[in-house]
């Protein structure tokens, strides 16, 4: 029954594409040429095509930039063989994933986009992948004219108010992952069994209790590093700010961690930096204390290990990430560390100041130098909208990576993680209607989501695009200070914390931080006027 339904949906998609593309003329492309023209062909749907159909007679290879380490067990290649057979049949194209691996990913990603390399599809995010900054550098093609023709289902599916949040200089720069339910608010994943052993019976909702937990690990779990983090992770300061202020991070990248926030939800148009008041001093003191107590490795700033793998192996007691990661790790840990009862301390639990993520937390853009923009969007449309392609990209091969029972996904008998695991890290267009529910979802997921829904506030900066032009030099200099001085403060390796913070602030001032803040405030004032005038 399921396979018949899937086939019917795929046929329906092909028919919709045929109708949508019939009699359309090819829009002018922005900055590149393409061999796709509005002439007759049968390749797009496998059916006889009327006059005016897009020409897909020339086979094309489409690249897609993904974040993550390339899988090494051979399953990825097996799945992509199936994906590419379908893409060849439907749009006469092949998909190649271009991986940006996690080691030094921020630098590699931004350098790739700045290089002018002719990549096609690009995973983007306005809140963690510098999308607006890269748009300002001309990294992407506008999509306004292309989408209605080459991705018509997606074009109609995304409402106008959501497209509005994807625009830079009034042009669409990305396709949002706006139809996928997820929570990406961060916190600490920790072992519930160990917390109980240390006398912590209630959920952890503050950093003082977390310290008690870490001390319990240090005292009672020989050979276990309480938090086996490394100096390239800046999540602890962002989390502390979330827990002890009502500040909302602005989509302005300053490297390892963000320096600039909106004051609060009620004062969302007031630029604020918690690094200039006691928030950062208190944090620095706490991290110095934790480092001195041995809550992480002595060589934390040079350590490059995988914190999550260490958690799964029972060699550390926490991992810092978001809700979606927690839900997946809860299931993994139940198998890898039976009885661990993995729990989650959302940073917002301290003050119940949860802000929903931006709908552009995940998305896909089109490279400015793409040689095949039209075909690239046709491939994207199939990945997002065609159930068969979607499930291959997200779940792998039925019978190998998953089986379906009562409409839910389960691991096949004999599934081995190292041998059989597949992932493509497609985070730029998942969609609820094509999802197959995970039969192994943690039983507490619904209650957790419901608790979030009770307190959440909408993300207020979806349409705020910071123009760094007037302060480009200052922003670069400030980012360099963050990279050079930040890690040592974050992990208590900068000596006296008060002096370290004072030195950090002095360096920021020299770099032009005051001018940068003034420009942010100026643009927030203009943003406020625009928002209020649109009501």
């Amino acid at each position: 029954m399921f396979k018949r339904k899937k086939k019917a949906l795929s046929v329906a998609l092909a028919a919709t594409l045929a109708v949508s593309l019939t009699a359309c003329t090819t829009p002018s492309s922005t900055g590149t040429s393409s061999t796709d023209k509005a002439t007759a062909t049968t390749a797009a749907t496998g059916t006889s095509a009327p006059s005016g159909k897009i020409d897909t007679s020339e086979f094309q290879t489409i690249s897609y930039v993904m974040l993550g380490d390339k899988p090494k067990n051979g399953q990825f290649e097996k799945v992509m063989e199936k994906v590419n057979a379908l893409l060849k049949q439907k749009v006469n194209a092949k998909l190649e994933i271009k991986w940006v691996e996690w080691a030094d990913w921020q630098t590699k990603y931004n350098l790739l986009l700045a290089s002018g390399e002719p990549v096609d599809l690009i995973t983007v995010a306005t809140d963690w992948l510098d999308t607006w900054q890269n748009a300002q550098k001309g990294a992407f093609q506008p999509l306004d004219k292309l989408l209605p023709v080459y991705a018509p289902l997606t074009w109609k599916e995304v409402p106008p108010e959501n497209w509005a949040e994807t625009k830079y200089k009034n042009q669409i720069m990305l396709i949002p992952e706006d139809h996928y339910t997820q929570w990406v608010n961060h916190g600490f994943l920790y072992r519930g069994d160990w917390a109980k052993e240390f006398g912590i019976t209630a959920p952890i909702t503050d950093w003082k209790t977390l310290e008690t937990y870490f001390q319990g690990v240090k005292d009672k779990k020989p050979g276990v590093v309480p938090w086996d983090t490394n100096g390239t992770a800046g999540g602890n300061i962002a989390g502390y700010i979330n827990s002890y202020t009502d500040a909302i991070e602005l989509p302005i990248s300053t490297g390892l961690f963000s320096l600039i926030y909106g004051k609060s939800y009620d004062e969302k148009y007031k630029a604020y930096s918690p690094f200039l008041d006691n928030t950062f001093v208190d944090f620095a003191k706490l991290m110095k204390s934790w480092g001195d107590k041995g809550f992480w490795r002595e060589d934390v700033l040079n350590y490059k290990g995988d914190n999550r793998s260490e958690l799964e192996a029972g060699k550390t007691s926490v991992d810092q990430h978001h809700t979606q990661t927690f839900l997946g790790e809860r299931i993994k840990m139940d198998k890898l560390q039976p009885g661990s009862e993995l729990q989650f301390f959302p940073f917002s639990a301290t003050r119940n100041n949860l802000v929903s993520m931006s709908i552009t937390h995940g998305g896909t853009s089109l490279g400015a130098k793409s040689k095949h923009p039209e075909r690239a969007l046709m491939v994207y449309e199939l990945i997002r909208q065609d159930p068969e392609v979607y499930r291959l990209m997200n779940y792998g091969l039925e019978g190998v990576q998953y089986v379906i029972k009562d409409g839910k996904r389960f691991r096949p008998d004999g599934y081995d993680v190292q041998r059989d695991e597949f992932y493509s890290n497609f985070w730029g267009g998942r969609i609820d209607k094509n999802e197959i529910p995970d039969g192994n979802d943690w039983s507490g997921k619904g209650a957790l989501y419901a608790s979030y829904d009770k307190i959440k506030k909408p993300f207020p900066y979806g349409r705020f695009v910071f123009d760094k032009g007037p302060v480009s030099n200052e922003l670069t200099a400030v980012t360099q200070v963050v990279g050079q001085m930040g890690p040592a403060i974050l992990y208590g390796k900068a000596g006296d914390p008060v002096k370290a913070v004072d030195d950090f602030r002095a360096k920021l001032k020299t770099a032009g931080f005051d001018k940068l803040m003034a420009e942010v405030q100026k643009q927030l004032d203009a943003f406020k006027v625009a928002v209020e005038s649109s009501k």
Side-chain angles (χ1 to χ4, degrees), residues 276-306:
L276 302 182
D277 62 24
N278 285 336
T279 302
F280 193 43
V281 177
D282 293 342
F283 167 82
K285 290 178 179 178
L286 183 63
M287 293 304 101
K288 178 67 164 65
S289 171
W290 285 10
D292 290 346
K293 291 176 179 178
F295 288 174
W296 41 72
R297 294 170 184 253
E298 181 62 30
D299 64 342
V300 60
L301 299 183
N302 297 315
Y303 178 59
K304 305 297 183 184
D306 186 340

PDB file of all heavy atoms in Angstrom, residues 276-306:
ATOM      1  N   LEU A 276      29.683  43.621  27.589  1.00  0.00           N
ATOM      2  CA  LEU A 276      30.107  44.897  28.158  1.00  0.00           C
ATOM      3  C   LEU A 276      29.609  45.101  29.587  1.00  0.00           C
ATOM      4  O   LEU A 276      29.886  46.129  30.191  1.00  0.00           O
ATOM      5  CB  LEU A 276      29.624  46.056  27.266  1.00  0.00           C
ATOM      6  CG  LEU A 276      30.107  46.030  25.811  1.00  0.00           C
ATOM      7  CD1 LEU A 276      29.595  47.260  25.065  1.00  0.00           C
ATOM      8  CD2 LEU A 276      31.633  45.948  25.737  1.00  0.00           C
ATOM      9  N   ASP A 277      28.853  44.130  30.120  1.00  0.00           N
ATOM     10  CA  ASP A 277      28.389  44.282  31.501  1.00  0.00           C
ATOM     11  C   ASP A 277      28.809  43.066  32.327  1.00  0.00           C
ATOM     12  O   ASP A 277      29.627  42.248  31.896  1.00  0.00           O
ATOM     13  CB  ASP A 277      26.877  44.536  31.553  1.00  0.00           C
ATOM     14  CG  ASP A 277      26.051  43.386  30.974  1.00  0.00           C
ATOM     15  OD1 ASP A 277      26.544  42.241  30.947  1.00  0.00           O
ATOM     16  OD2 ASP A 277      24.903  43.638  30.545  1.00  0.00           O
ATOM     17  N   ASN A 278      28.226  42.935  33.517  1.00  0.00           N
ATOM     18  CA  ASN A 278      28.667  41.876  34.431  1.00  0.00           C
ATOM     19  C   ASN A 278      28.338  40.473  33.952  1.00  0.00           C
ATOM     20  O   ASN A 278      28.871  39.495  34.495  1.00  0.00           O
ATOM     21  CB  ASN A 278      28.046  42.099  35.813  1.00  0.00           C
ATOM     22  CG  ASN A 278      28.728  43.233  36.569  1.00  0.00           C
ATOM     23  OD1 ASN A 278      29.882  43.556  36.291  1.00  0.00           O
ATOM     24  ND2 ASN A 278      28.010  43.845  37.501  1.00  0.00           N
ATOM     25  N   THR A 279      27.470  40.352  32.959  1.00  0.00           N
ATOM     26  CA  THR A 279      27.128  39.023  32.448  1.00  0.00           C
ATOM     27  C   THR A 279      28.390  38.273  32.023  1.00  0.00           C
ATOM     28  O   THR A 279      28.595  37.107  32.392  1.00  0.00           O
ATOM     29  CB  THR A 279      26.169  39.136  31.247  1.00  0.00           C
ATOM     30  OG1 THR A 279      24.999  39.845  31.635  1.00  0.00           O
ATOM     31  CG2 THR A 279      25.783  37.751  30.732  1.00  0.00           C
ATOM     32  N   PHE A 280      29.244  38.942  31.264  1.00  0.00           N
ATOM     33  CA  PHE A 280      30.435  38.285  30.758  1.00  0.00           C
ATOM     34  C   PHE A 280      31.467  38.078  31.868  1.00  0.00           C
ATOM     35  O   PHE A 280      32.179  37.065  31.891  1.00  0.00           O
ATOM     36  CB  PHE A 280      31.041  39.089  29.613  1.00  0.00           C
ATOM     37  CG  PHE A 280      32.088  38.348  28.830  1.00  0.00           C
ATOM     38  CD1 PHE A 280      31.906  37.022  28.467  1.00  0.00           C
ATOM     39  CD2 PHE A 280      33.258  38.987  28.429  1.00  0.00           C
ATOM     40  CE1 PHE A 280      32.873  36.331  27.734  1.00  0.00           C
ATOM     41  CE2 PHE A 280      34.223  38.306  27.686  1.00  0.00           C
ATOM     42  CZ  PHE A 280      34.033  36.978  27.347  1.00  0.00           C
ATOM     43  N   VAL A 281      31.543  39.001  32.789  1.00  0.00           N
ATOM     44  CA  VAL A 281      32.467  38.844  33.920  1.00  0.00           C
ATOM     45  C   VAL A 281      32.074  37.632  34.759  1.00  0.00           C
ATOM     46  O   VAL A 281      32.915  36.796  35.108  1.00  0.00           O
ATOM     47  CB  VAL A 281      32.479  40.113  34.792  1.00  0.00           C
ATOM     48  CG1 VAL A 281      33.387  39.904  36.013  1.00  0.00           C
ATOM     49  CG2 VAL A 281      32.947  41.318  33.987  1.00  0.00           C
ATOM     50  N   ASP A 282      30.785  37.527  35.074  1.00  0.00           N
ATOM     51  CA  ASP A 282      30.300  36.398  35.878  1.00  0.00           C
ATOM     52  C   ASP A 282      30.557  35.073  35.154  1.00  0.00           C
ATOM     53  O   ASP A 282      30.956  34.077  35.771  1.00  0.00           O
ATOM     54  CB  ASP A 282      28.809  36.551  36.164  1.00  0.00           C
ATOM     55  CG  ASP A 282      28.511  37.737  37.076  1.00  0.00           C
ATOM     56  OD1 ASP A 282      29.446  38.216  37.751  1.00  0.00           O
ATOM     57  OD2 ASP A 282      27.345  38.183  37.111  1.00  0.00           O
ATOM     58  N   PHE A 283      30.323  35.069  33.860  1.00  0.00           N
ATOM     59  CA  PHE A 283      30.573  33.871  33.069  1.00  0.00           C
ATOM     60  C   PHE A 283      32.055  33.500  33.088  1.00  0.00           C
ATOM     61  O   PHE A 283      32.413  32.331  33.294  1.00  0.00           O
ATOM     62  CB  PHE A 283      30.107  34.100  31.621  1.00  0.00           C
ATOM     63  CG  PHE A 283      30.598  33.059  30.657  1.00  0.00           C
ATOM     64  CD1 PHE A 283      29.949  31.840  30.533  1.00  0.00           C
ATOM     65  CD2 PHE A 283      31.728  33.297  29.875  1.00  0.00           C
ATOM     66  CE1 PHE A 283      30.415  30.873  29.647  1.00  0.00           C
ATOM     67  CE2 PHE A 283      32.196  32.331  28.988  1.00  0.00           C
ATOM     68  CZ  PHE A 283      31.539  31.119  28.879  1.00  0.00           C
ATOM     69  N   ALA A 284      32.917  34.479  32.873  1.00  0.00           N
ATOM     70  CA  ALA A 284      34.361  34.214  32.828  1.00  0.00           C
ATOM     71  C   ALA A 284      34.851  33.651  34.162  1.00  0.00           C
ATOM     72  O   ALA A 284      35.696  32.744  34.198  1.00  0.00           O
ATOM     73  CB  ALA A 284      35.117  35.491  32.469  1.00  0.00           C
ATOM     74  N   LYS A 285      34.328  34.197  35.247  1.00  0.00           N
ATOM     75  CA  LYS A 285      34.700  33.681  36.577  1.00  0.00           C
ATOM     76  C   LYS A 285      34.271  32.221  36.733  1.00  0.00           C
ATOM     77  O   LYS A 285      35.032  31.388  37.251  1.00  0.00           O
ATOM     78  CB  LYS A 285      34.062  34.531  37.674  1.00  0.00           C
ATOM     79  CG  LYS A 285      34.632  35.925  37.819  1.00  0.00           C
ATOM     80  CD  LYS A 285      33.877  36.696  38.906  1.00  0.00           C
ATOM     81  CE  LYS A 285      34.436  38.090  39.102  1.00  0.00           C
ATOM     82  NZ  LYS A 285      33.663  38.860  40.128  1.00  0.00           N
ATOM     83  N   LEU A 286      33.061  31.922  36.293  1.00  0.00           N
ATOM     84  CA  LEU A 286      32.552  30.557  36.406  1.00  0.00           C
ATOM     85  C   LEU A 286      33.381  29.584  35.568  1.00  0.00           C
ATOM     86  O   LEU A 286      33.731  28.489  36.025  1.00  0.00           O
ATOM     87  CB  LEU A 286      31.086  30.509  35.973  1.00  0.00           C
ATOM     88  CG  LEU A 286      30.385  29.155  36.114  1.00  0.00           C
ATOM     89  CD1 LEU A 286      30.328  28.734  37.581  1.00  0.00           C
ATOM     90  CD2 LEU A 286      28.981  29.203  35.514  1.00  0.00           C
ATOM     91  N   MET A 287      33.729  29.987  34.363  1.00  0.00           N
ATOM     92  CA  MET A 287      34.510  29.098  33.502  1.00  0.00           C
ATOM     93  C   MET A 287      35.930  28.902  34.040  1.00  0.00           C
ATOM     94  O   MET A 287      36.497  27.814  33.915  1.00  0.00           O
ATOM     95  CB  MET A 287      34.560  29.654  32.075  1.00  0.00           C
ATOM     96  CG  MET A 287      33.217  29.663  31.357  1.00  0.00           C
ATOM     97  SD  MET A 287      32.382  28.041  31.267  1.00  0.00           S
ATOM     98  CE  MET A 287      31.160  28.210  32.591  1.00  0.00           C
ATOM     99  N   LYS A 288      36.497  29.940  34.651  1.00  0.00           N
ATOM    100  CA  LYS A 288      37.810  29.782  35.289  1.00  0.00           C
ATOM    101  C   LYS A 288      37.710  28.767  36.425  1.00  0.00           C
ATOM    102  O   LYS A 288      38.574  27.885  36.573  1.00  0.00           O
ATOM    103  CB  LYS A 288      38.290  31.135  35.823  1.00  0.00           C
ATOM    104  CG  LYS A 288      39.645  31.086  36.549  1.00  0.00           C
ATOM    105  CD  LYS A 288      40.782  30.752  35.578  1.00  0.00           C
ATOM    106  CE  LYS A 288      42.150  31.071  36.159  1.00  0.00           C
ATOM    107  NZ  LYS A 288      42.476  30.229  37.335  1.00  0.00           N
ATOM    108  N   SER A 289      36.646  28.861  37.201  1.00  0.00           N
ATOM    109  CA  SER A 289      36.428  27.927  38.305  1.00  0.00           C
ATOM    110  C   SER A 289      36.265  26.502  37.792  1.00  0.00           C
ATOM    111  O   SER A 289      36.865  25.558  38.315  1.00  0.00           O
ATOM    112  CB  SER A 289      35.196  28.346  39.108  1.00  0.00           C
ATOM    113  OG  SER A 289      34.830  27.355  40.046  1.00  0.00           O
ATOM    114  N   TRP A 290      35.462  26.340  36.737  1.00  0.00           N
ATOM    115  CA  TRP A 290      35.224  25.002  36.188  1.00  0.00           C
ATOM    116  C   TRP A 290      36.493  24.408  35.591  1.00  0.00           C
ATOM    117  O   TRP A 290      36.755  23.222  35.735  1.00  0.00           O
ATOM    118  CB  TRP A 290      34.123  25.060  35.120  1.00  0.00           C
ATOM    119  CG  TRP A 290      32.734  25.202  35.691  1.00  0.00           C
ATOM    120  CD1 TRP A 290      32.407  25.470  36.989  1.00  0.00           C
ATOM    121  CD2 TRP A 290      31.503  25.067  34.976  1.00  0.00           C
ATOM    122  NE1 TRP A 290      31.046  25.526  37.128  1.00  0.00           N
ATOM    123  CE2 TRP A 290      30.463  25.279  35.918  1.00  0.00           C
ATOM    124  CE3 TRP A 290      31.181  24.805  33.658  1.00  0.00           C
ATOM    125  CZ2 TRP A 290      29.122  25.230  35.553  1.00  0.00           C
ATOM    126  CZ3 TRP A 290      29.842  24.754  33.288  1.00  0.00           C
ATOM    127  CH2 TRP A 290      28.821  24.961  34.227  1.00  0.00           C
ATOM    128  N   GLY A 291      37.278  25.253  34.917  1.00  0.00           N
ATOM    129  CA  GLY A 291      38.541  24.772  34.373  1.00  0.00           C
ATOM    130  C   GLY A 291      39.494  24.329  35.468  1.00  0.00           C
ATOM    131  O   GLY A 291      40.138  23.287  35.369  1.00  0.00           O
ATOM    132  N   ASP A 292      39.571  25.121  36.542  1.00  0.00           N
ATOM    133  CA  ASP A 292      40.445  24.787  37.672  1.00  0.00           C
ATOM    134  C   ASP A 292      40.011  23.492  38.354  1.00  0.00           C
ATOM    135  O   ASP A 292      40.845  22.759  38.904  1.00  0.00           O
ATOM    136  CB  ASP A 292      40.456  25.925  38.696  1.00  0.00           C
ATOM    137  CG  ASP A 292      41.172  27.170  38.179  1.00  0.00           C
ATOM    138  OD1 ASP A 292      41.874  27.073  37.152  1.00  0.00           O
ATOM    139  OD2 ASP A 292      41.008  28.248  38.794  1.00  0.00           O
ATOM    140  N   LYS A 293      38.711  23.210  38.327  1.00  0.00           N
ATOM    141  CA  LYS A 293      38.189  21.984  38.944  1.00  0.00           C
ATOM    142  C   LYS A 293      38.349  20.755  38.044  1.00  0.00           C
ATOM    143  O   LYS A 293      38.022  19.642  38.461  1.00  0.00           O
ATOM    144  CB  LYS A 293      36.715  22.172  39.304  1.00  0.00           C
ATOM    145  CG  LYS A 293      36.488  23.159  40.445  1.00  0.00           C
ATOM    146  CD  LYS A 293      35.005  23.395  40.711  1.00  0.00           C
ATOM    147  CE  LYS A 293      34.815  24.381  41.870  1.00  0.00           C
ATOM    148  NZ  LYS A 293      33.394  24.678  42.140  1.00  0.00           N
ATOM    149  N   GLY A 294      38.825  20.973  36.847  1.00  0.00           N
ATOM    150  CA  GLY A 294      39.066  19.846  35.954  1.00  0.00           C
ATOM    151  C   GLY A 294      37.829  19.317  35.269  1.00  0.00           C
ATOM    152  O   GLY A 294      37.747  18.125  34.960  1.00  0.00           O
ATOM    153  N   PHE A 295      36.873  20.202  34.986  1.00  0.00           N
ATOM    154  CA  PHE A 295      35.648  19.755  34.327  1.00  0.00           C
ATOM    155  C   PHE A 295      35.859  19.470  32.838  1.00  0.00           C
ATOM    156  O   PHE A 295      34.996  18.910  32.188  1.00  0.00           O
ATOM    157  CB  PHE A 295      34.536  20.789  34.515  1.00  0.00           C
ATOM    158  CG  PHE A 295      33.988  20.852  35.915  1.00  0.00           C
ATOM    159  CD1 PHE A 295      33.061  21.826  36.260  1.00  0.00           C
ATOM    160  CD2 PHE A 295      34.382  19.956  36.892  1.00  0.00           C
ATOM    161  CE1 PHE A 295      32.537  21.893  37.543  1.00  0.00           C
ATOM    162  CE2 PHE A 295      33.880  20.019  38.194  1.00  0.00           C
ATOM    163  CZ  PHE A 295      32.953  20.992  38.516  1.00  0.00           C
ATOM    164  N   TRP A 296      36.976  19.927  32.284  1.00  0.00           N
ATOM    165  CA  TRP A 296      37.365  19.562  30.920  1.00  0.00           C
ATOM    166  C   TRP A 296      38.867  19.323  30.891  1.00  0.00           C
ATOM    167  O   TRP A 296      39.561  19.489  31.901  1.00  0.00           O
ATOM    168  CB  TRP A 296      36.975  20.640  29.904  1.00  0.00           C
ATOM    169  CG  TRP A 296      37.201  22.057  30.364  1.00  0.00           C
ATOM    170  CD1 TRP A 296      38.404  22.691  30.524  1.00  0.00           C
ATOM    171  CD2 TRP A 296      36.206  22.997  30.752  1.00  0.00           C
ATOM    172  NE1 TRP A 296      38.218  23.972  30.970  1.00  0.00           N
ATOM    173  CE2 TRP A 296      36.870  24.197  31.111  1.00  0.00           C
ATOM    174  CE3 TRP A 296      34.809  22.978  30.796  1.00  0.00           C
ATOM    175  CZ2 TRP A 296      36.187  25.334  31.519  1.00  0.00           C
ATOM    176  CZ3 TRP A 296      34.132  24.097  31.213  1.00  0.00           C
ATOM    177  CH2 TRP A 296      34.817  25.265  31.571  1.00  0.00           C
ATOM    178  N   ARG A 297      39.381  18.936  29.748  1.00  0.00           N
ATOM    179  CA  ARG A 297      40.799  18.608  29.624  1.00  0.00           C
ATOM    180  C   ARG A 297      41.670  19.842  29.869  1.00  0.00           C
ATOM    181  O   ARG A 297      41.284  20.959  29.542  1.00  0.00           O
ATOM    182  CB  ARG A 297      41.107  18.066  28.230  1.00  0.00           C
ATOM    183  CG  ARG A 297      40.467  16.731  27.917  1.00  0.00           C
ATOM    184  CD  ARG A 297      40.628  16.391  26.452  1.00  0.00           C
ATOM    185  NE  ARG A 297      39.929  15.157  26.131  1.00  0.00           N
ATOM    186  CZ  ARG A 297      40.539  13.987  25.884  1.00  0.00           C
ATOM    187  NH1 ARG A 297      41.859  13.921  25.915  1.00  0.00           N
ATOM    188  NH2 ARG A 297      39.837  12.906  25.607  1.00  0.00           N
ATOM    189  N   GLU A 298      42.847  19.603  30.376  1.00  0.00           N
ATOM    190  CA  GLU A 298      43.800  20.691  30.579  1.00  0.00           C
ATOM    191  C   GLU A 298      44.174  21.323  29.250  1.00  0.00           C
ATOM    192  O   GLU A 298      44.365  22.536  29.157  1.00  0.00           O
ATOM    193  CB  GLU A 298      45.053  20.157  31.290  1.00  0.00           C
ATOM    194  CG  GLU A 298      46.102  21.222  31.583  1.00  0.00           C
ATOM    195  CD  GLU A 298      45.621  22.315  32.524  1.00  0.00           C
ATOM    196  OE1 GLU A 298      44.744  22.020  33.384  1.00  0.00           O
ATOM    197  OE2 GLU A 298      46.101  23.463  32.396  1.00  0.00           O
ATOM    198  N   ASP A 299      44.256  20.498  28.195  1.00  0.00           N
ATOM    199  CA  ASP A 299      44.628  21.010  26.873  1.00  0.00           C
ATOM    200  C   ASP A 299      43.391  21.290  26.017  1.00  0.00           C
ATOM    201  O   ASP A 299      43.408  21.096  24.802  1.00  0.00           O
ATOM    202  CB  ASP A 299      45.553  20.032  26.153  1.00  0.00           C
ATOM    203  CG  ASP A 299      44.869  18.697  25.848  1.00  0.00           C
ATOM    204  OD1 ASP A 299      43.828  18.399  26.481  1.00  0.00           O
ATOM    205  OD2 ASP A 299      45.364  17.953  24.974  1.00  0.00           O
ATOM    206  N   VAL A 300      42.338  21.763  26.641  1.00  0.00           N
ATOM    207  CA  VAL A 300      41.056  21.971  25.959  1.00  0.00           C
ATOM    208  C   VAL A 300      41.190  22.829  24.702  1.00  0.00           C
ATOM    209  O   VAL A 300      40.488  22.609  23.712  1.00  0.00           O
ATOM    210  CB  VAL A 300      40.032  22.591  26.932  1.00  0.00           C
ATOM    211  CG1 VAL A 300      40.505  23.930  27.467  1.00  0.00           C
ATOM    212  CG2 VAL A 300      38.658  22.727  26.289  1.00  0.00           C
ATOM    213  N   LEU A 301      42.082  23.807  24.722  1.00  0.00           N
ATOM    214  CA  LEU A 301      42.194  24.724  23.588  1.00  0.00           C
ATOM    215  C   LEU A 301      42.830  24.060  22.373  1.00  0.00           C
ATOM    216  O   LEU A 301      42.686  24.559  21.249  1.00  0.00           O
ATOM    217  CB  LEU A 301      42.993  25.969  23.985  1.00  0.00           C
ATOM    218  CG  LEU A 301      42.393  26.815  25.107  1.00  0.00           C
ATOM    219  CD1 LEU A 301      43.245  28.062  25.345  1.00  0.00           C
ATOM    220  CD2 LEU A 301      40.953  27.209  24.791  1.00  0.00           C
ATOM    221  N   ASN A 302      43.520  22.966  22.583  1.00  0.00           N
ATOM    222  CA  ASN A 302      44.157  22.248  21.467  1.00  0.00           C
ATOM    223  C   ASN A 302      43.445  20.950  21.127  1.00  0.00           C
ATOM    224  O   ASN A 302      43.707  20.351  20.088  1.00  0.00           O
ATOM    225  CB  ASN A 302      45.626  21.937  21.803  1.00  0.00           C
ATOM    226  CG  ASN A 302      46.439  23.196  22.000  1.00  0.00           C
ATOM    227  OD1 ASN A 302      46.340  24.137  21.217  1.00  0.00           O
ATOM    228  ND2 ASN A 302      47.243  23.232  23.054  1.00  0.00           N
ATOM    229  N   TYR A 303      42.547  20.526  21.995  1.00  0.00           N
ATOM    230  CA  TYR A 303      41.854  19.255  21.800  1.00  0.00           C
ATOM    231  C   TYR A 303      40.863  19.361  20.648  1.00  0.00           C
ATOM    232  O   TYR A 303      40.122  20.331  20.532  1.00  0.00           O
ATOM    233  CB  TYR A 303      41.129  18.874  23.096  1.00  0.00           C
ATOM    234  CG  TYR A 303      40.328  17.595  23.021  1.00  0.00           C
ATOM    235  CD1 TYR A 303      40.936  16.390  22.706  1.00  0.00           C
ATOM    236  CD2 TYR A 303      38.955  17.612  23.262  1.00  0.00           C
ATOM    237  CE1 TYR A 303      40.198  15.218  22.645  1.00  0.00           C
ATOM    238  CE2 TYR A 303      38.211  16.445  23.200  1.00  0.00           C
ATOM    239  CZ  TYR A 303      38.845  15.248  22.889  1.00  0.00           C
ATOM    240  OH  TYR A 303      38.104  14.092  22.831  1.00  0.00           O
ATOM    241  N   LYS A 304      40.830  18.335  19.780  1.00  0.00           N
ATOM    242  CA  LYS A 304      39.958  18.350  18.602  1.00  0.00           C
ATOM    243  C   LYS A 304      39.025  17.139  18.556  1.00  0.00           C
ATOM    244  O   LYS A 304      38.516  16.779  17.510  1.00  0.00           O
ATOM    245  CB  LYS A 304      40.801  18.374  17.315  1.00  0.00           C
ATOM    246  CG  LYS A 304      41.802  19.519  17.227  1.00  0.00           C
ATOM    247  CD  LYS A 304      41.120  20.872  17.201  1.00  0.00           C
ATOM    248  CE  LYS A 304      42.139  21.989  17.045  1.00  0.00           C
ATOM    249  NZ  LYS A 304      41.529  23.340  17.117  1.00  0.00           N
ATOM    250  N   GLY A 305      38.802  16.501  19.691  1.00  0.00           N
ATOM    251  CA  GLY A 305      37.988  15.288  19.714  1.00  0.00           C
ATOM    252  C   GLY A 305      36.511  15.543  19.507  1.00  0.00           C
ATOM    253  O   GLY A 305      36.047  16.679  19.430  1.00  0.00           O
ATOM    254  N   ASP A 306      35.754  14.456  19.416  1.00  0.00           N
ATOM    255  CA  ASP A 306      34.321  14.496  19.156  1.00  0.00           C
ATOM    256  C   ASP A 306      33.566  14.288  20.464  1.00  0.00           C
ATOM    257  O   ASP A 306      33.447  13.169  20.964  1.00  0.00           O
ATOM    258  CB  ASP A 306      33.951  13.402  18.144  1.00  0.00           C
ATOM    259  CG  ASP A 306      32.492  13.463  17.716  1.00  0.00           C
ATOM    260  OD1 ASP A 306      31.678  14.060  18.437  1.00  0.00           O
ATOM    261  OD2 ASP A 306      32.162  12.888  16.657  1.00  0.00           O
TER     262      ASP A 306
END
